[in-house]
Amino acid sequence: MGFDDNNNKEEEEVKKGGVGDSDSEMEHENKVSRQMSESSMYTTEDEDEDENVNKLELGPQCSLKEQFEKDKDDESLRRWKEQLLGSVDINAVGESLDPEVKMLSLEIKSPGRANIVLPIPEDGKPKSPWFVLKEGSKYSLKFTFQVNNNIVTGLKYTNTVWKTGIKVDSMKEMIGAFSPQTEPYTHEMPEEITPSGIFARGSYSARTKFLDDDNKCYLEINYTFDIKKEWQAI
């Protein structure tokens, strides 16, 4: 989801926003994570056409305990790992190699209204329309997720929107690196404004994904939503 507030044409794309890691954090994250390879890429025809994918060799997977033991002589990296892991009991996590990320809830927030709670279907295809937005309204997406087994690095949100078969929006936001813990994480996307006007109203189709830096997809949802003159009655 994402739209620019200057929308007299349905083909106009949205203003994109994103949250990035600092240079030092990105450097540390790259050391902790495995490198991508051509065989590990999750690609579809809807990925950005101008995005160049580097073909790198896949390094060995490491358990959380092994990752913590690596690079002990790098004081800066060691402190970063300690900060990332927090109170995680490394011995209790076990020797799992693959992180597990589970999306627990998705909500749409809009000022002055109760949050719209979006049910997450197991097959990734919600009933149509999944939700209704009022034209020209402010909104943001909030999601809660759980991380288990190992550190997930480069977790990101991507979303592509079509109207009458034409791609009208494509956005990507880097969320960051997260260690496994009992308590869930919460992230809120930047506030946006739905388009308005006769050409903006109607039905849209969209695809949302949550992926990591190996392009492993933890959740893919294909859905439709409507933009109308008024909010849907609660």
Side-chain angles (χ1 to χ4, degrees), residues 4 38 48 53 68 74 78 92 100 112 114 124 177 198 209 216:
D4 194 287
E38 184 177 13
D48 294 337
V53 178
F68 190 75
D74 189 327
R78 184 185 62 79
E100 178 186 86
I198 188 171
K209 296 180 184 178
K216 178 180 177 181

Side-chain angles (χ1 to χ4, degrees), residues 61-110:
Q61 285 183 302
C62 298
S63 68
L64 190 60
K65 187 174 183 178
E66 290 172 328
Q67 288 192 37
F68 190 75
E69 292 295 322
K70 290 171 62 177
D71 305 306
K72 276 189 172 182
D73 296 334
D74 189 327
E75 182 67 18
S76 176
L77 180 57
R78 184 185 62 79
R79 288 199 305 268
W80 180 82
K81 288 180 180 180
E82 290 176 348
Q83 182 179 7
L84 177 64
L85 293 173
S87 60
V88 174
D89 185 346
I90 297 176
N91 295 319
V93 172
E95 300 297 324
S96 298
L97 300 180
D98 292 318
E100 178 186 86
V101 179
K102 183 178 181 180
M103 291 296 155
L104 302 177
S105 66
L106 298 173
E107 298 177 66
I108 296 176
K109 300 177 61 179
S110 186

Side-chain angles (χ1 to χ4, degrees), residues 149-219:
N149 298 340
N150 209 330
I151 296 172
V152 60
T153 56
L155 187 64
K156 59 181 174 287
Y157 163 93
T158 69
N159 192 66
T160 307
V161 180
W162 297 265
K163 191 171 191 284
T164 61
I166 300 173
K167 184 165 71 172
V168 295
D169 174 62
S170 181
M171 72 172 297
K172 178 188 295 184
E173 172 156 326
M174 180 61 67
I175 304 171
F178 300 89
S179 63
Q181 65 176 31
T182 304
E183 295 298 318
Y185 294 96
T186 299
H187 182 82
E188 186 170 339
M189 301 288 288
E191 187 176 76
E192 301 185 61
I193 301 177
T194 57
S196 59
I198 188 171
F199 293 110
R201 298 178 212 130
S203 181
Y204 294 76
S205 59
R207 175 178 297 157
T208 291
K209 296 180 184 178
F210 292 91
L211 312 99
D212 64 15
D213 61 358
D214 280 325
N215 274 347
K216 178 180 177 181
C217 185
Y218 294 100
L219 179 65

